[in-house]
Amino acid sequence: MRLDKFLKVSRLIKRRTVANEACDAGRVLVNDRPARASAPVKAGDRIEIQFGSRNVRVEVLDVKETVKKEEAESLYRYL
C-alpha cells in the first residue's frame, strides 16, 4: 500500500492530500529515511511523522485497504 494512503486509512493524518504534502516536505520518514508519498508500506516498517515541534513514531502492524474508525489504531503501535 502507498504511504499516503496508509497514513489516511490508519488516521495518523486526516486527509490524503495532507499526507502527500507532508511527504513532499520531507516530514515523513520510513525506516529512518525520507519517504515519498508513493513509497510502499508493509508490516514491520517504522514511520516517523514530524508535526511541528512534536514527532510521532509508529510501527506498522497490519496493512488493510479499509478499516472502521474504531479499528484504525490496530494497524500500528506507538514506539
Side-chain angles (χ1 to χ4, degrees), residues 13-77:
I13 295 181
K14 192 170 186 175
R15 283 184 232 107
R16 193 165 174 181
T17 55
V18 176
N20 266 314
E21 291 167 2
C23 291
D24 291 343
R27 295 190 321 242
V28 180
L29 307 176
V30 175
N31 297 325
D32 298 321
R33 293 188 179 144
R36 297 176 59 166
S38 61
V41 174
K42 60 188 181 311
D45 284 348
R46 294 173 185 266
I47 299 174
E48 182 175 346
I49 309 165
Q50 299 165 355
F51 290 112
S53 62
R54 181 174 78 106
N55 286 359
V56 175
R57 295 191 57 150
V58 297
E59 180 180 1
V60 178
L61 298 178
D62 196 9
V63 177
K64 294 183 182 177
E65 291 294 319
T66 58
V67 293
K68 294 181 179 175
K69 185 177 181 181
E70 303 80 35
E71 300 168 358
E73 220 169 292
S74 69
L75 298 179
Y76 61 89
R77 71 177 170 98

